[in-house]
Amino acid sequence: MKKLSAFILAVAAVLAAGCGPKDGEYTFRILSTSDVHGHFFDRAYLNDESVPSLMSVAWCIDSVRVADGAENVILIDAGDCLHGDNVAYYYNYVDTDSKHVYARMLEYLDYDAWIPGNHDIETGHPVYDRIAETLKVPILASNAIRTDNGEPYFREYVTFKRHGLKFAIIGFTNPNISNAYAPELWEGMKFESLIPDFTQNVVDRVRAEEKPDVVIVAIHSGAGRGDGAQLEQQGLDLFNSLEGVDYIVSSHDHRAAVYESENICMANTGNYCANLAYGTITVKVENGKVAGKKLSAKLIPLDKDKVDTRMKAAFQSDYEAVKGYVTKEVGVLKSDMNTRDALFGMSDYVNLLHTVCLEASGAQVSFAAPVTTSVTMKAGKMIYNDLMTLYSYDNPLYVVKMSGKEIKDYLEHSYDGWINTQDGTAETLIKMRGFKNPRTGQQMWFFMGQSYNLDSAGGLVYEVDVTKPMGERIVISTLADGTPFDMAAEYKVAVNSYRALGGADLMKKAGVDTGKIDERVDAIYADIRTLLDEYIVRNGEVDPAKIGDRSVIGEWSFVPEKVARKALDRDNERMTPMRF
């Protein structure tokens, strides 16, 4: 019996050796995309202009596979793809019978793994569950844990062999999802922080159980500062601490970047198919075992005009279906609308948002911000595509109960992310940063933050004193109907779900515990873009006089007028136009 056992073990050893890598050096390319945000097609729906897309990503991937061999290429997407363009909306909520176009594109491009991002989860269970049912590409999110049995909602990892070397890709979604979106969108899940121990523990377990030769961690998380303080951005925290990992694919913050050290690389491709992250790992094998690795990473800028023509033809019918949907007329815009005006005071753009939110909800106050500041919409016919431009997010409208003091404090913090105090030390009123264009030497100025966090209030009459520090700037006199504003009173406030659930921490800074927001929610309505659609179809037009009715939306201004006007005119003149 002992001889038989020894013989069996010997045979097993020979077989195992035969499955392992042969001695030599093997070079692999780790390609990654992320934050595609619906940029699937290479042509705009309205003017047929070329735009960055997965079609150009495909062209580059094909080139790498031809040059290096398809078996030497690993392809990963790190999420946020089911949001941001009409095609995503169409296949999320309109055509729900067909297999989702993004699932078909992942399979067409032969991805090795997809990590869902926060905006993918934001689409809701009917969308991502439908994709999961049919998608042949592994969906990975180790830290999305089922609340009923403690198991991962999606797969934790996937393994495969190339040239006898075993690869493991371990995926993690963004841990801040439960703080940003309505509970019904992620019902049945909880999201673990990637640090301090969760990711390392998963890596250690996978290494112990699977014994991979190469470990790739793919995260829907931005770089952050590496100080462990940002739940939403934990990339550098992992880059600086993970052991037993060769390569990190990061994402989420839209900041194209590469980080390299002797033992690990991290790459973030940025967003909107502008780049392809291109990692290289060369594995040296001696005596059937890994004897060394060399790592590097870079970004490949993509040419939007170089596209995979076969892929384009394969998905042309999908493009035509979406084009037909988004070019349908919804109403008339009576005068030009410049979204950048919202940075400098009241504007038709944000007035429209306030009007829609107040009318749909019956709330007394609304908070709204400019989602974009780079678009001028010409007067005339409005089509559904214009609504995506004005409000690209799928945020439902919440009505939240807040005290007068909380409203005032909320606005203090919102404007603190918007303006600099005019005390003689600030170069600008609007928080901008300036730098010289290295190619032309031209001085350029851009807003420092995200415009979608610049909430103003509708339904109130108030002033923002630009000479005062944060905490003393906001003076609210009345509601829009002339009723005196009471700091101790309770008001119903219309606000998007992102903000109600803690986005940008404005609620938290105002003293609202967003962890108990259910206790304050008075009502929840449809997503704001749908409410915009309904408003415009119902009224037939967007009339500046109607959306600017002070008896409905109130009025606010920067004061003292003389100081503010001079600074605003200066900032408006110097701010560099955003072009896309």
Side-chain angles (χ1 to χ4, degrees):
M1 181 63 72
K2 288 183 178 179
K3 289 183 178 179
L4 180 60
S5 298
F7 174 75
I8 293 173
L9 290 173
V11 171
V14 170
L15 291 174
C19 294
K22 296 179 180 180
D23 288 1
E25 284 194 346
Y26 301 88
T27 296
F28 302 93
R29 309 299 184 192
I30 303 171
L31 308 183
S32 61
T33 54
S34 69
D35 300 280
V36 171
H37 286 289
H39 284 59
F40 302 162
F41 302 129
D42 71 313
R43 294 286 161 183
Y45 303 115
L46 306 184
N47 53 24
D48 204 40
E49 289 183 359
S50 61
V51 293
S53 72
L54 278 178
M55 307 292 179
S56 55
V57 171
W59 184 92
C60 191
I61 291 170
D62 288 345
S63 300
V64 176
R65 284 173 171 160
V66 168
D68 295 313
E71 71 278 10
N72 300 316
V73 176
I74 292 94
L75 181 59
I76 302 167
D77 186 272
D80 271 9
C81 302
L82 306 179
H83 157 274
D85 185 271
N86 284 305
V87 61
Y89 183 86
Y90 182 81
Y91 281 101
N92 288 349
Y93 308 114
V94 180
D95 182 359
T96 57
D97 294 325
S98 302
K99 183 169 180 175
H100 200 289
V101 68
Y102 184 64
R104 288 183 277 127
M105 286 184 169
L106 283 172
E107 293 172 355
Y108 183 93
L109 291 170
D110 199 18
Y111 273 83
D112 293 293
W114 177 50
I115 290 75
N118 54 293
H119 285 301
D120 302 317
I121 301 299
E122 184 192 8
T123 62
H125 275 287
V127 177
Y128 56 79
D129 287 345
R130 175 165 59 96
I131 289 174
E133 287 174 1
T134 61
L135 181 63
K136 297 175 183 177
V137 176
I139 304 176
L140 310 180
S142 301
N143 63 321
I145 308 299
R146 294 177 65 103
T147 55
D148 58 355
N149 61 14
E151 296 295 319
Y153 191 85
F154 304 100
R155 291 176 65 173
E156 288 187 287
Y157 64 92
V158 63
T159 63
F160 49 85
K161 283 192 173 184
R162 304 283 172 89
H163 300 294
L165 291 164
K166 192 172 189 179
F167 285 75
I169 303 173
I170 312 172
F172 302 84
T173 191
N174 196 280
N176 193 51
I177 289 172
S178 58
N179 296 322
Y181 304 114
E184 60 267 21
L185 301 176
W186 45 270
E187 184 179 7
M189 285 184 276
K190 64 177 181 178
F191 303 91
E192 298 287 348
S193 173
L194 308 187
I195 60 170
D197 302 318
F198 186 87
T199 303
Q200 186 66 65
N201 289 342
V202 176
V203 169
D204 291 346
R205 175 164 48 81
V206 172
R207 288 182 63 84
E209 294 176 359
E210 301 288 350
K211 296 178 173 50
D213 299 299
V214 176
V215 177
I216 301 168
V217 165
I219 58 174
H220 192 80
S221 178
R225 298 184 295 265
D227 58 4
Q230 295 174 282
L231 181 63
E232 197 169 350
Q233 319 280 4
Q234 297 182 330
L236 281 176
D237 298 318
L238 296 178
F239 176 78
N240 293 329
S241 66
L242 278 181
E243 297 179 356
V245 174
D246 301 295
Y247 194 91
I248 300 174
V249 176
S250 65
S251 56
H252 183 62
D253 59 9
H254 294 196
R255 296 177 181 176
V258 166
Y259 304 85
E260 296 176 297
S261 71
E262 184 177 350
N263 299 316
I264 191 170
C265 290
M266 182 169 76
N268 183 335
T269 192
N271 62 333
Y272 303 155
C273 301
N275 305 289
L276 182 67
Y278 180 97
T280 298
I281 179 167
T282 298
V283 183
K284 184 177 182 180
V285 178
E286 293 180 350
N287 300 318
K289 296 182 178 180
V290 173
K293 298 174 185 175
K294 294 180 182 178
L295 302 162
S296 65
K298 65 180 181 180
L299 300 174
I300 300 178
L302 298 178
D303 185 341
K304 60 185 173 61
D305 294 313
K306 291 181 178 179
V307 302
D308 184 328
T309 54
R310 289 174 299 178
M311 182 178 180
K312 182 174 180 176
F315 292 94
Q316 184 64 27
S317 62
D318 297 285
Y319 171 82
E320 296 296 341
V322 177
K323 182 176 181 178
Y325 181 77
V326 304
T327 54
K328 66 177 182 179
E329 185 173 353
V330 295
V332 174
L333 182 65
K334 292 195 70 174
S335 63
D336 293 353
M337 181 182 288
N338 187 342
T339 61
R340 197 176 88 155
D341 292 346
L343 289 173
F344 302 97
M346 292 187 72
S347 66
D348 287 348
Y349 175 28
V350 180
N351 288 352
L352 172 62
L353 298 180
H354 284 310
T355 298
V356 168
C357 293
L358 289 168
E359 182 177 297
S361 66
Q364 297 149 294
V365 180
S366 67
F367 292 143
V371 172
T372 177
T373 58
S374 61
V375 174
T376 295
M377 197 170 289
K378 295 296 184 181
K381 181 177 73 172
M382 294 186 75
I383 59 176
Y384 189 84
N385 191 71
D386 295 326
L387 305 184
M388 178 64 74
T389 300
L390 292 175
Y391 208 92
S392 58
Y393 299 103
D394 300 328
N395 304 136
L397 181 67
Y398 274 46
V399 176
V400 177
K401 292 175 283 189
M402 298 177 69
S403 71
K405 182 180 185 304
E406 288 169 339
I407 291 171
K408 193 263 188 189
D409 290 345
Y410 182 105
L411 290 172
E412 289 282 0
H413 287 284
S414 179
Y415 282 95
D416 193 49
W418 191 338
I419 64 171
N420 295 308
T421 301
Q422 298 301 283
D423 57 3
T425 63
E427 191 173 2
T428 64
L429 172 55
I430 304 300
K431 284 194 171 179
M432 298 191 294
R433 59 185 176 90
F435 65 93
K436 283 191 176 181
N437 185 312
R439 184 173 60 84
T440 65
Q442 177 189 2
Q443 183 73 14
M444 306 180 73
W445 293 86
F446 296 99
F447 178 64
M448 291 174 60
Q450 301 288 355
S451 67
Y452 57 70
N453 287 328
L454 305 183
D455 275 1
S456 62
L460 298 177
V461 177
Y462 66 99
E463 294 179 340
V464 184
D465 192 330
V466 301
T467 67
K468 299 289 180 64
M470 197 278 288
E472 302 176 18
R473 291 179 178 137
I474 308 299
V475 178
I476 307 172
S477 55
T478 68
L479 299 183
D481 64 4
T483 304
F485 184 76
D486 185 348
M487 296 283 276
E490 181 180 88
Y491 297 97
K492 293 181 180 180
V493 181
V495 61
N496 70 48
S497 59
Y498 171 73
R499 193 74 77 234
L501 296 165
D505 284 339
L506 290 178
M507 284 289 188
K508 179 180 178 180
K509 291 173 180 177
V512 176
D513 183 354
T514 54
K516 299 179 180 179
I517 198 66
D518 286 351
E519 298 174 5
R520 291 174 175 258
V521 173
D522 184 73
I524 301 176
Y525 295 88
D527 70 274
I528 292 173
R529 187 168 59 253
T530 295
L531 298 177
L532 275 170
D533 185 18
E534 292 173 351
Y535 173 87
I536 297 170
V537 169
R538 184 169 60 252
N539 289 276
E541 63 183 10
V542 176
D543 182 353
K546 186 170 183 178
I547 63 174
D549 185 347
R550 274 22 180 194
S551 69
V552 175
I553 65 168
E555 186 172 10
W556 71 270
S557 60
F558 290 118
V559 297
E561 200 278 334
K562 186 175 181 181
V563 174
R565 179 46 48 203
K566 181 179 179 180
L568 290 168
D569 288 346
R570 175 197 62 208
D571 290 354
N572 196 4
E573 183 177 351
R574 67 170 34 158
M575 184 175 283
T576 304
M578 298 291 285
R579 296 184 176 90
F580 298 95

